[in-house]
Amino acid sequence: MLDVLLTNLLSPIVLAFALGILASLARSDLEIPAPLYQALSIYLLLAIGLKGGAALRATPLSEVVGPMLLTFGLGVLTPITSYNVLRKLGKMDRVNAAALAAHFGSVSAVTFIAAQAFGTLTGFESEGYMPALVAILEIPAIVVALMIANVRGAMGEEATWQSALHEVLTGRSIVLLGGGLAMGLLTGPEGLEPVAPFFVEGFKGALVLFLLELGLVTARRLRDLKEAGWFLVAFSIVMPIIHGVGAVWLAGFVGMSIGGAAVLGAMVSSASYIAAPAAVRIALPQASPTIYLTAALGITFPFNLALGIPLYFAAAEYFLG
Amino acid sequence: MLDVLLTNLLSPIVLAFALGILASLARSDLEIPAPLYQALSIYLLLAIGLKGGAALRATPLSEVVGPMLLTFGLGVLTPITSYNVLRKLGKMDRVNAAALAAHFGSVSAVTFIAAQAFGTLTGFESEGYMPALVAILEIPAIVVALMIANVRGAMGEEATWQSALHEVLTGRSIVLLGGGLAMGLLTGPEGLEPVAPFFVEGFKGALVLFLLELGLVTARRLRDLKEAGWFLVAFSIVMPIIHGVGAVWLAGFVGMSIGGAAVLGAMVSSASYIAAPAAVRIALPQASPTIYLTAALGITFPFNLALGIPLYFAAAEYFLG
Amino acid sequence: MLDVLLTNLLSPIVLAFALGILASLARSDLEIPAPLYQALSIYLLLAIGLKGGAALRATPLSEVVGPMLLTFGLGVLTPITSYNVLRKLGKMDRVNAAALAAHFGSVSAVTFIAAQAFGTLTGFESEGYMPALVAILEIPAIVVALMIANVRGAMGEEATWQSALHEVLTGRSIVLLGGGLAMGLLTGPEGLEPVAPFFVEGFKGALVLFLLELGLVTARRLRDLKEAGWFLVAFSIVMPIIHGVGAVWLAGFVGMSIGGAAVLGAMVSSASYIAAPAAVRIALPQASPTIYLTAALGITFPFNLALGIPLYFAAAEYFLG
Amino acid sequence: MPKTIPLKLVTVVAEYLLRDKLVKEIGKLGVTGFTVTDAEGQGPRGNRAGVYEGRNVRMECVCSPEAATRVLKHLSDYYFEHYAVIAWVQTVEVVRGDKYV
Amino acid sequence: MPKTIPLKLVTVVAEYLLRDKLVKEIGKLGVTGFTVTDAEGQGPRGNRAGVYEGRNVRMECVCSPEAATRVLKHLSDYYFEHYAVIAWVQTVEVVRGDKYV
Amino acid sequence: MPKTIPLKLVTVVAEYLLRDKLVKEIGKLGVTGFTVTDAEGQGPRGNRAGVYEGRNVRMECVCSPEAATRVLKHLSDYYFEHYAVIAWVQTVEVVRGDKYV
Ligand SMILES: Nc1ncnc2c1ncn2[C@@H]1O[C@H](COP(=O)(O)O)[C@@H](O)[C@H]1O
Ligand SMILES: Nc1ncnc2c1ncn2[C@@H]1O[C@H](COP(=O)(O)O)[C@@H](O)[C@H]1O
Ligand SMILES: Nc1ncnc2c1ncn2[C@@H]1O[C@H](COP(=O)(O)O)[C@@H](O)[C@H]1O
Ligand code: NA
Ligand code: NA
Ligand code: NA
């Protein structure tokens, strides 16, 4: 067990994340140019989609329907649980609770990739169609959370959940991920072959650069941690564990493998820091970015990367092993 | 035949192009950062050159002289045919006709690559020295078209075809393509080996990103289509077919293979949208960019990508098979 | 011998450098976008570090202590020899002499890579831990040179060698190189495997693009060459030879291989053009950038790339063969 | 000297996320064109979303005094409170300025 | 306060393709320096070439009133008709301004 | 029209290397915020370090006249002699300008 933990902590992607944090704390002038960060995120999302789409083509529909419905259901459920815990236990105001709910209901693509890589490393390969689940999980949570905010009358002047839905659906993450899935589905594994050296083999290395940048950004968030208060810190660790372990448990009922269940757990537990912040900033301008970014990027992401992912795999082995 | 067409339409590069168009039509905020686009185009041109140069080294001069002369001749001829068709059949003014002639006489590097890839896929590998022909085809058409414009007194104040020639020769496409060819020639296949994983294996994947961007840009052009008028649309499809099939037929006389002839046909039929627009904009400012960009990028490029390339291969099989 | 020289001159990286120079002299509009240059330099430094760190893990400490101490010693010594030669033979003022000393005492990462690649090509593989020596050599020279300037009272208002030390240690080159080393050490060769296609196989190709840019930049420096004067030109060629051959000779005493000694020679002979210029510009603003950049980038770098590297390998064969 | 006309130059610096929204909205307020550049910055409030906190857009509009007033009012009504925004106005002499009113 | 001199600041936004040409030409019109940034934009005409239609260059020149007039005249004579260009002028106080005339 | 206040806009163009240093220093001179963009340029002196010679930073600060004077003095004292720097000042009307003094 400790061995597995160490393997995870010493993987290049976790180390790159740590290097980014350390460089920022040491006030290094290291910076990833914005176009490089954008290029990496376009590449990573498209690559995930392509691989997932090609795998999806080889999977019988009957096998994926269950996991897809489960994922959709969790995408609707987790923002609601998050919102209620924040309101009732945390006494948080409605707007900020809804904003956080959108983040914790949605999904962090990098957490997904890290979980998948961890599975490969430890011999628990996850299902090839998982990227389709990422796309499914990305959408409902943001809409549900904004609907909650709307019902309660906290919504900004002109924003509605319909326009937020449009924003999310045409946002670059869904377009690239969904577009990649469609491309992979249409072209199939043979069609993918000529582009594999670029999109498949280069993938893990490109991820290292991406995590270096995430480390630099996270470090800036860590400075806001003291303002966050103990409840937010606890919430950003405990809620993901509950969501994640719950998802692992449910995944067993729809026939997912140990690896697949654990990766789904990591996805459900993770908090979005790309699609959700953009949508929430426009639709709920009164919500404090300091709160939701610190929680999603400063606490939940590093926690999952270092400890959460091994935990969800342990849970999957326990429930399904 | 239909099978081949489908294979082409479902290749990752055509799908990426379609994704770009769809994303733009859906008003997605997806954008390829300008430096990424520039990086990809530097990479692609240099890679084509390197591979072509190394192949050229292995080819006896006697084998390439014929194709080279033919290519040069077509580079001189096609702007003249284009100009006359536009003037006489299309009743177009001199300046815009010359501008279009420069575009349709010149070559689109991506069409070349797509044709080459199509050949590989369908078992009609083209000659390794083809990239040298791309460089040869890039130059004369622009100069010829500007000379036509000059002769007719439509040229801008200070611009001359000599300065346009200098502009084209030192323009980044020729420098990278020609420079890559020279590097490949000098270093040879063994010298190229250490850089092959980067320049050869990564090539097709990088092309996917490039076509995503081209799709985004093309979609913007499609909006101008209604202003273009039916003659321009017809010209941008029929003229390339005539040029392309003609080039395929002539290629047989200089000893090119089926694949080589078809790729040459695609090149000759294609319209430049990088070197030509820049040169024309400076030398013929009165010409309307809306006309020449819509024709080259909005009509001819997608047509060739989807249907033209299979057509030129069918023609090559018919003439040379 | 001539054969080896030719192999070097016709390698893709030297040719790319030449292409960059020629493109700039021909006033081509070719330019490498700044973010691409930054991306490449982040990638290259991290890749060197990762590989070196993984190799370091497999090397017994006893084997590397000697080379490390030697490198550190040379990092302290070479700025002092440089400074004295410049002052006494060159009659140069203190500030500019100290500035040049910082550059010639420090190291050019690209020269290191080129030397390593040359060794691989000619069958004289260097030790895997060499990148650690690059990091060691980067630091002392800049600090020593600024201390010399300080002692002599030429230092700018607020700058001190301590702040310069902090600047160098947290500067992006050391953070990436040192960070990469640490990551490589911690994750080891197996950990590195999944990221190898990106960081190891793509390396040489990415270097080609980097050298294209260096060629463009060097050409601008060549224009300042006439202002430089014959002494600076002679210094920038002879001093590196003396430092380099001396280092090769000393490397024999600490048990380095022929390849390792030659690469160390190339490193020691090389002049920094990334870390040193930035540190010197802040700490010694009165020093003329024209002088130190022309020397380091306009003379020493091309000399080493074309002739110096083969020379240090010849010297290593002579001393250690 | 070519004829110039005095017009207003409104400069707005706002968080990047607002870029497309602002472009769309000012178009409806009688502004005939704009120029944008990528920018970074810090301000007295520092309340920002997005992974790239420092990333801003800097937008310039040459327009009539009336359009300038409408733009500033729009920013005040909808953006100043919750978003990172600063705006200032100057008078500039514009060549062929009649095209931009 | 360090001594400042009132000079003209000419700002030109033009399609990117013109960048190097403009730099070369204004150098001959008595302008001693310039600063350029990458920009994007839209204008009332929207007539543009290049794959990146929106890409512009934004150029600033601090110069004497005479040089400013020459620059504006040059733009009017050769560029305004066929290219995407906008230009405006302001008076600014320049530190050590005598260097730039 | 929303209330505006006349303030100073200081624009500084300097070699990129000075970016972080200047940001830190102007913060101590009573400037409450700044906006920076990447720029390139050439000037009468052309004395520059770094591999990217042409690379500059363009910094804008909206501030009180007193802070503007302090910034210009600081630049004159420490940067004008040895570094590539140009600076100019204008008066601008700032929305909710009281936040920036
Ligand atoms: N005094 C200032 N001068 C110039 N730009 C400013 C100033 N204050 C704020 N800004 C810009 O406005 C943005 C938003 O400021 P704030 O709303 O205070 O966070 C900052 O990121 C800066 O780009
Ligand atoms: N009113 C305006 N305010 C600011 N910039 C403008 C304005 N109109 C045009 N521009 C800029 O000038 C460029 C050319 O405009 P146009 O020639 O009308 O296409 C545009 O791309 C904008 O960057
Ligand atoms: N007359 C000018 N107008 C606008 N920017 C200038 C001018 N002169 C110099 N600059 C800018 O200031 C920088 C430094 O100039 P210099 O110190 O003369 O090398 C240049 O790189 C330009 O970006
Ligand atoms: Na989640
Ligand atoms: Na053609
Ligand atoms: Na050295």
Side-chain angles (χ1 to χ4, degrees), chain C residues 263-293:
Chain C
V263 171
L264 184 68
M267 283 160 54
V268 171
S269 81
S270 73
S272 163
Y273 42 80
I274 297 180
V280 165
R281 185 73 179 133
I282 295 292
L284 293 176
Q286 318 94 303
S288 157
T290 305
I291 293 180
Y292 54 73
L293 286 177

Short mmCIF file of all heavy atoms in Angstrom, two decimals, chain C residues 263-293:
data_model
loop_
_atom_site.label_atom_id
_atom_site.label_comp_id
_atom_site.label_asym_id
_atom_site.label_seq_id
_atom_site.Cartn_x
_atom_site.Cartn_y
_atom_site.Cartn_z
N VAL C 263 32.86 16.41 -23.81
CA VAL C 263 31.64 17.19 -23.57
C VAL C 263 31.89 18.22 -22.46
O VAL C 263 31.46 19.38 -22.56
CB VAL C 263 30.46 16.27 -23.24
CG1 VAL C 263 29.26 17.06 -22.77
CG2 VAL C 263 30.09 15.42 -24.45
N LEU C 264 32.60 17.80 -21.41
CA LEU C 264 32.94 18.77 -20.36
C LEU C 264 33.76 19.92 -20.95
O LEU C 264 33.54 21.10 -20.62
CB LEU C 264 33.72 18.09 -19.23
CG LEU C 264 34.03 19.03 -18.07
CD1 LEU C 264 32.77 19.44 -17.33
CD2 LEU C 264 35.01 18.39 -17.07
N GLY C 265 34.70 19.58 -21.83
CA GLY C 265 35.49 20.63 -22.49
C GLY C 265 34.60 21.61 -23.23
O GLY C 265 34.75 22.83 -23.11
N ALA C 266 33.66 21.07 -23.98
CA ALA C 266 32.74 21.95 -24.74
C ALA C 266 31.95 22.84 -23.80
O ALA C 266 31.77 24.04 -24.06
CB ALA C 266 31.81 21.10 -25.59
N MET C 267 31.48 22.26 -22.68
CA MET C 267 30.71 23.04 -21.71
C MET C 267 31.54 24.18 -21.14
O MET C 267 31.09 25.33 -21.05
CB MET C 267 30.26 22.14 -20.56
CG MET C 267 29.10 21.25 -20.87
SD MET C 267 28.99 19.84 -19.70
CE MET C 267 28.98 20.70 -18.13
N VAL C 268 32.73 23.83 -20.69
CA VAL C 268 33.57 24.84 -20.03
C VAL C 268 33.96 25.93 -21.02
O VAL C 268 34.02 27.11 -20.68
CB VAL C 268 34.82 24.15 -19.41
CG1 VAL C 268 35.81 25.19 -18.93
CG2 VAL C 268 34.39 23.22 -18.29
N SER C 269 34.22 25.54 -22.24
CA SER C 269 34.62 26.52 -23.25
C SER C 269 33.47 27.44 -23.63
O SER C 269 33.67 28.57 -24.04
CB SER C 269 35.12 25.80 -24.50
OG SER C 269 34.03 25.39 -25.30
N SER C 270 32.25 26.96 -23.49
CA SER C 270 31.10 27.69 -24.01
C SER C 270 30.77 28.92 -23.16
O SER C 270 31.13 29.00 -21.99
CB SER C 270 29.87 26.79 -24.06
OG SER C 270 29.38 26.56 -22.76
N ALA C 271 30.08 29.85 -23.78
CA ALA C 271 29.67 31.07 -23.07
C ALA C 271 28.15 31.12 -23.01
O ALA C 271 27.47 30.90 -24.01
CB ALA C 271 30.20 32.30 -23.80
N SER C 272 27.64 31.40 -21.84
CA SER C 272 26.20 31.44 -21.62
C SER C 272 25.56 32.58 -22.40
O SER C 272 26.13 33.66 -22.52
CB SER C 272 25.92 31.64 -20.14
OG SER C 272 24.61 32.06 -19.93
N TYR C 273 24.36 32.34 -22.95
CA TYR C 273 23.65 33.48 -23.55
C TYR C 273 22.21 33.53 -23.09
O TYR C 273 21.38 34.16 -23.72
CB TYR C 273 23.73 33.45 -25.08
CG TYR C 273 23.55 32.12 -25.66
CD1 TYR C 273 22.29 31.58 -25.81
CD2 TYR C 273 24.65 31.36 -26.01
CE1 TYR C 273 22.12 30.33 -26.31
CE2 TYR C 273 24.49 30.10 -26.52
CZ TYR C 273 23.22 29.59 -26.67
OH TYR C 273 23.06 28.34 -27.16
N ILE C 274 21.91 32.84 -22.02
CA ILE C 274 20.56 32.98 -21.47
C ILE C 274 20.62 33.45 -20.01
O ILE C 274 20.22 34.56 -19.69
CB ILE C 274 19.77 31.66 -21.60
CG1 ILE C 274 19.61 31.32 -23.09
CG2 ILE C 274 18.40 31.81 -20.95
CD1 ILE C 274 18.85 30.05 -23.36
N ALA C 275 21.18 32.63 -19.14
CA ALA C 275 21.23 33.00 -17.73
C ALA C 275 22.15 34.20 -17.49
O ALA C 275 21.78 35.15 -16.81
CB ALA C 275 21.66 31.81 -16.89
N ALA C 276 23.35 34.14 -18.06
CA ALA C 276 24.32 35.21 -17.79
C ALA C 276 23.84 36.58 -18.27
O ALA C 276 23.91 37.56 -17.51
CB ALA C 276 25.69 34.86 -18.37
N PRO C 277 23.37 36.71 -19.51
CA PRO C 277 22.95 38.05 -19.94
C PRO C 277 21.90 38.67 -19.02
O PRO C 277 21.97 39.85 -18.69
CB PRO C 277 22.37 37.82 -21.35
CG PRO C 277 23.04 36.60 -21.84
CD PRO C 277 23.27 35.74 -20.61
N ALA C 278 20.93 37.84 -18.60
CA ALA C 278 19.87 38.38 -17.74
C ALA C 278 20.45 38.85 -16.42
O ALA C 278 20.14 39.95 -15.95
CB ALA C 278 18.79 37.32 -17.52
N ALA C 279 21.29 38.03 -15.80
CA ALA C 279 21.86 38.40 -14.50
C ALA C 279 22.76 39.62 -14.63
O ALA C 279 22.72 40.54 -13.81
CB ALA C 279 22.63 37.22 -13.92
N VAL C 280 23.57 39.65 -15.67
CA VAL C 280 24.52 40.75 -15.85
C VAL C 280 23.79 42.06 -16.16
O VAL C 280 24.16 43.12 -15.67
CB VAL C 280 25.53 40.40 -16.97
CG1 VAL C 280 26.28 41.64 -17.43
CG2 VAL C 280 26.50 39.34 -16.47
N ARG C 281 22.73 41.96 -16.94
CA ARG C 281 21.99 43.17 -17.31
C ARG C 281 21.44 43.87 -16.07
O ARG C 281 21.43 45.10 -16.00
CB ARG C 281 20.84 42.79 -18.24
CG ARG C 281 20.08 43.98 -18.80
CD ARG C 281 20.90 44.69 -19.83
NE ARG C 281 20.20 45.83 -20.43
CZ ARG C 281 20.75 47.03 -20.59
NH1 ARG C 281 21.99 47.25 -20.19
NH2 ARG C 281 20.08 48.00 -21.15
N ILE C 282 20.98 43.07 -15.11
CA ILE C 282 20.43 43.64 -13.88
C ILE C 282 21.54 44.12 -12.96
O ILE C 282 21.48 45.21 -12.39
CB ILE C 282 19.54 42.61 -13.16
CG1 ILE C 282 18.31 42.25 -14.00
CG2 ILE C 282 19.12 43.11 -11.78
CD1 ILE C 282 17.30 43.36 -14.17
N ALA C 283 22.58 43.32 -12.82
CA ALA C 283 23.61 43.62 -11.82
C ALA C 283 24.66 44.61 -12.33
O ALA C 283 25.23 45.35 -11.54
CB ALA C 283 24.28 42.33 -11.36
N LEU C 284 24.92 44.58 -13.62
CA LEU C 284 25.94 45.46 -14.18
C LEU C 284 25.38 46.25 -15.37
O LEU C 284 25.81 46.08 -16.51
CB LEU C 284 27.15 44.64 -14.68
CG LEU C 284 28.01 43.93 -13.65
CD1 LEU C 284 29.08 43.09 -14.35
CD2 LEU C 284 28.68 44.94 -12.72
N PRO C 285 24.41 47.12 -15.11
CA PRO C 285 23.75 47.79 -16.24
C PRO C 285 24.70 48.62 -17.09
O PRO C 285 24.41 48.85 -18.27
CB PRO C 285 22.70 48.67 -15.56
CG PRO C 285 23.07 48.75 -14.14
CD PRO C 285 23.85 47.53 -13.82
N GLN C 286 25.83 49.04 -16.51
CA GLN C 286 26.74 49.88 -17.30
C GLN C 286 27.48 49.07 -18.37
O GLN C 286 28.03 49.63 -19.31
CB GLN C 286 27.80 50.55 -16.43
CG GLN C 286 27.29 51.11 -15.12
CD GLN C 286 27.46 50.13 -13.98
OE1 GLN C 286 26.97 49.00 -14.02
NE2 GLN C 286 28.14 50.56 -12.94
N ALA C 287 27.55 47.76 -18.17
CA ALA C 287 28.25 46.94 -19.16
C ALA C 287 27.48 46.95 -20.47
O ALA C 287 26.25 47.00 -20.48
CB ALA C 287 28.39 45.51 -18.65
N SER C 288 28.20 46.86 -21.58
CA SER C 288 27.55 46.97 -22.89
C SER C 288 27.05 45.60 -23.37
O SER C 288 27.84 44.70 -23.63
CB SER C 288 28.55 47.52 -23.90
OG SER C 288 28.16 47.14 -25.20
N PRO C 289 25.73 45.46 -23.53
CA PRO C 289 25.21 44.19 -24.06
C PRO C 289 25.78 43.88 -25.44
O PRO C 289 25.96 42.71 -25.77
CB PRO C 289 23.70 44.43 -24.14
CG PRO C 289 23.42 45.56 -23.22
CD PRO C 289 24.65 46.40 -23.22
N THR C 290 26.03 44.90 -26.21
CA THR C 290 26.58 44.65 -27.55
C THR C 290 27.87 43.84 -27.44
O THR C 290 28.08 42.89 -28.19
CB THR C 290 26.85 45.99 -28.27
OG1 THR C 290 25.65 46.73 -28.28
CG2 THR C 290 27.32 45.74 -29.69
N ILE C 291 28.72 44.20 -26.50
CA ILE C 291 29.98 43.48 -26.36
C ILE C 291 29.74 42.04 -25.92
O ILE C 291 30.17 41.09 -26.58
CB ILE C 291 30.92 44.20 -25.36
CG1 ILE C 291 31.35 45.55 -25.94
CG2 ILE C 291 32.12 43.33 -25.02
CD1 ILE C 291 32.26 46.34 -25.04
N TYR C 292 29.01 41.84 -24.83
CA TYR C 292 28.97 40.46 -24.34
C TYR C 292 28.09 39.55 -25.15
O TYR C 292 28.36 38.36 -25.28
CB TYR C 292 28.68 40.38 -22.83
CG TYR C 292 27.47 41.07 -22.26
CD1 TYR C 292 26.19 40.59 -22.46
CD2 TYR C 292 27.61 42.20 -21.44
CE1 TYR C 292 25.09 41.20 -21.88
CE2 TYR C 292 26.50 42.82 -20.87
CZ TYR C 292 25.25 42.32 -21.09
OH TYR C 292 24.17 42.93 -20.52
N LEU C 293 27.02 40.09 -25.75
CA LEU C 293 26.19 39.21 -26.58
C LEU C 293 26.87 38.89 -27.91
O LEU C 293 26.76 37.76 -28.41
CB LEU C 293 24.83 39.85 -26.83
CG LEU C 293 23.91 39.83 -25.63
CD1 LEU C 293 22.61 40.54 -25.95
CD2 LEU C 293 23.62 38.39 -25.20
#
